[in-house]
Amino acid sequence: MNLQIRIWISNVVLFVVPILIAIILFLLYFTGLRILANAGYYLRIEQEQQFKSVSRITETITFYGLENNLIDSLVKPSYSLLDPKEVYVEVLDQGNMVYSYGNPQIYSASAIVGLIDVNPELQGIVYQSNNTFVYEMRKYDGRHAYVYHIAIKRATHGSDSLMETVSFYIIIVAILLFIVTFFAINRFVTRFIMIHVKNMTKSLEMANRQIEMEQEQQKELLAGISHDIRTPLTAIKAYAEGVRDGIAPTEEQQKRYMGIILKRANDLDSMLEELFLITTLNYKKESRPSERIELGQYVRDFVEDHLAPYQTRGLDIKFRIAAENAFINANPQLLQRVLQNVLNNSAKYKMADIGHCVIDVTSDDDFVYCVISDDGPGVPPESLERLMRPFYRVDSSRTNPQEGSGLGLSIIRRIMEIFEGRVVIENVRPHGLRIILEFPKQGEES
């Protein structure tokens, strides 16, 4: 849930909750008045202004109830707040009684003393009779010709202290409830939004840590480049100077020196190629489109094509396919580079004249696995997690740079990230190394 949605929900809560509370308070107040009315504590009309307010309210409720068939659920409960012995209400439509409530003798016995008020907008007239207020209103809507009368006896025994007390306490409760609700909503909205802010903060912190890690890796990469390029360059320079200065006077010695220079130049070229690859992998994923590949068949074809060259380097390769129709999405050239880098390491670090390597293809419900195991020396357990760092070698002194650039496993890790997979490296007992390539499994072709 993003911040915009959270703010939208918070605004709805801020708007809706106070309205709901106001409705609940009104219903509670109305219910309380009903309870008091049933106990005999009816609304008492003492003044002309009170009567005008009550008559306008009851008029609106009455006609709304008539138009929406709410006589029993709205109109009657409203009039029940008034003492039926001291009030009379009637609604006529073209002379026919539509609704009535209370004691009709109050209206028939009241003698009009004088006009109190005329309201043209509501077409209402207020009269005063002997201790009685009378309101008359006429309403025409094309189909109906309503005449509305309400007569209420004027209270002569003072105000109803109980009603006033109840109203006072309800107002106090309402104020306290609104205050508590305000702070509760404010806290809810703040926490609701802060959850997203905290998540954003965590994401930013993780991004910052990732940037710092990448910067540190870039520093290590630059340091490794400087060290590893200097080594073959120093050798090239030394042997070239030897040829120039006549240290190798014979043609045979000169050929040997030139061969060393060429080998170091090839090492340098290979290192630059791998550097170019590992840097371009970071931003050229889209230029290396993936294809649907059946991994078992791909491994068969790869071993058949590369078995002879690796045998000349003293590495015997076998494969075991335990999963048929194990489809993955991968770029064929990059996948080939992954297998070559693993096998190149096995060939370089073999312990005997002939090393052995086995490639297993297996799968489960979600993943396809390519497991490459050799019988080489393995690595110390503490070095396993660092093997895929650029330029990392178990030989920390880098006394044997000819054994590789230290970029092969870094390239494998980056390629597997492009394939949305991962790499796991394990030692094999009694000795050897196992590299597990895990690919997301794709469904079979229809």
Side-chain angles (χ1 to χ4, degrees):
M1 188 183 298
N2 59 37
L3 183 59
Q4 183 177 2
I5 295 176
R6 287 181 177 272
I7 292 176
W8 185 84
I9 293 175
S10 301
N11 290 335
V12 171
V13 170
L14 288 171
F15 177 75
V16 171
V17 172
I19 293 177
L20 292 177
I21 291 176
I23 293 173
I24 291 172
L25 287 173
F26 172 78
L27 293 176
L28 290 175
Y29 183 65
F30 187 75
T31 302
L33 293 180
R34 286 287 308 280
I35 293 172
L36 289 173
N38 292 336
Y41 296 99
Y42 296 101
L43 290 173
R44 307 289 179 177
I45 304 301
E46 302 174 27
Q47 302 172 357
E48 171 192 327
Q49 193 61 37
Q50 291 176 338
F51 176 73
K52 289 181 179 180
S53 299
V54 170
S55 62
R56 297 297 192 275
I57 294 173
T58 53
E59 172 204 329
T60 303
I61 291 175
T62 300
F63 284 103
Y64 181 80
L66 287 172
E67 293 170 358
N68 295 278
N69 298 319
L70 298 173
I71 294 296
D72 293 329
S73 60
L74 179 62
V75 179
K76 287 183 179 179
S78 301
Y79 282 118
S80 66
L81 302 178
L82 302 169
D83 189 346
K85 296 179 181 179
E86 298 180 355
V87 66
Y88 176 68
V89 180
E90 67 176 12
V91 181
L92 306 176
D93 182 9
Q94 298 180 354
N96 298 317
M97 183 73 70
V98 177
Y99 176 75
S100 65
Y101 173 81
N103 184 4
Q105 294 180 356
I106 295 175
Y107 181 68
S108 60
S110 47
I112 302 301
V113 174
L115 178 66
I116 296 179
D117 183 32
V118 177
N119 191 326
E121 182 180 352
L122 296 176
Q123 298 179 334
I125 302 175
V126 181
Y127 301 95
Q128 182 176 2
S129 64
N130 296 326
N131 295 323
T132 303
F133 293 109
V134 180
Y135 173 67
E136 177 183 335
M137 189 276 295
R138 299 179 182 274
K139 180 179 180 181
Y140 304 94
D141 62 2
R143 295 179 302 162
H144 302 282
Y146 290 113
V147 178
Y148 175 79
H149 291 130
I150 179 171
I152 300 178
K153 270 193 169 185
R154 181 175 182 176
T156 58
H157 300 292
S159 63
D160 190 337
S161 60
L162 180 60
M163 294 292 294
E164 293 179 356
T165 302
V166 171
S167 299
F168 173 77
Y169 283 116
I170 288 178
I171 292 173
I172 295 299
V173 171
I175 293 173
L176 292 176
L177 184 59
F178 269 107
I179 293 174
V180 172
T181 303
F182 171 78
F183 284 104
I185 292 177
N186 183 67
R187 179 168 180 169
F188 165 78
V189 170
T190 302
R191 294 182 63 182
F192 192 64
I193 295 178
M194 286 304 297
I195 290 174
H196 188 80
V197 174
K198 289 180 180 178
N199 291 337
M200 291 178 61
T201 303
K202 289 181 180 179
S203 299
L204 289 173
E205 290 175 353
M206 292 178 61
N208 288 333
R209 285 197 294 269
Q210 182 67 25
I211 291 173
E212 291 175 359
M213 186 181 302
E214 291 177 356
Q215 290 176 343
E216 189 64 28
Q217 290 176 352
Q218 291 293 334
K219 292 179 182 178
E220 293 180 3
L221 183 63
L222 290 174
I225 291 172
S226 300
H227 186 284
D228 282 36
I229 288 180
R230 186 182 298 115
T231 301
L233 282 178
T234 300
I236 291 172
K237 180 180 178 182
Y239 283 100
E241 289 176 349
V243 173
R244 183 196 63 185
D245 297 339
I247 297 177
T250 67
E251 182 178 352
E252 181 180 354
Q253 288 179 324
Q254 290 177 356
K255 286 183 178 180
R256 186 170 68 86
Y257 274 38
M258 295 303 293
I260 294 174
I261 292 173
L262 181 60
K263 184 178 185 303
R264 291 292 181 263
N266 289 334
D267 291 341
L268 184 60
D269 182 67
S270 176
M271 184 185 303
L272 292 175
E273 180 186 354
E274 292 196 331
L275 280 172
F276 178 76
L277 177 62
I278 197 171
T279 52
T280 55
L281 284 175
N282 290 326
Y283 59 87
K284 287 192 175 181
K285 177 181 176 180
E286 66 280 356
S287 65
R288 302 173 184 271
S290 295
E291 299 178 9
R292 184 181 177 82
I293 296 174
E294 204 286 304
L295 187 59
Q297 187 60 47
Y298 185 91
V299 169
R300 287 191 186 95
D301 296 340
F302 175 87
V303 173
E304 290 177 2
D305 293 340
H306 295 81
L307 180 59
Y310 279 108
Q311 285 179 337
T312 61
R313 297 173 61 183
L315 183 67
D316 182 55
I317 306 173
K318 297 183 182 302
F319 63 87
R320 296 179 297 202
I321 310 301
E324 298 295 336
N325 297 322
F327 290 97
I328 64 172
N329 280 337
N331 179 274
Q333 289 75 32
L334 293 182
L335 182 56
Q336 176 176 305
R337 186 58 179 263
V338 168
L339 297 178
Q340 285 177 335
N341 282 10
V342 175
L343 295 176
N344 288 341
N345 283 342
S346 297
K348 289 174 186 174
Y349 301 111
K350 63 183 186 295
M351 297 175 64
D353 291 338
I354 300 297
H356 300 87
C357 187
V358 179
I359 304 176
D360 292 285
V361 177
T362 62
S363 68
D364 57 25
D365 292 338
D366 300 314
F367 299 97
V368 177
Y369 305 94
C370 182
V371 183
I372 307 172
S373 307
D374 64 26
D375 58 355
V379 297
E382 63 273 10
S383 298
L384 285 174
E385 293 184 359
R386 299 193 292 270
L387 276 180
M388 288 183 284
R389 292 183 182 178
F391 293 105
Y392 179 81
R393 294 194 190 90
V394 177
D395 176 18
S396 59
S397 64
R398 300 181 185 270
T399 55
N400 296 307
Q402 69 276 10
E403 293 185 348
S405 65
L407 294 172
L409 292 175
S410 298
I411 292 173
I412 292 173
R413 182 185 65 178
R414 178 58 188 143
I415 292 175
M416 290 303 295
E417 289 174 354
I418 292 175
F419 295 161
E420 298 182 354
R422 69 185 187 119
V423 186
V424 179
I425 303 178
E426 301 174 345
N427 277 319
V428 179
R429 293 183 180 182
H431 57 80
L433 199 66
R434 178 186 296 120
I435 295 181
I436 304 171
L437 307 174
E438 181 183 287
F439 301 86
K441 189 175 186 179
Q442 304 299 315
E444 295 186 11
E445 290 181 313
S446 57

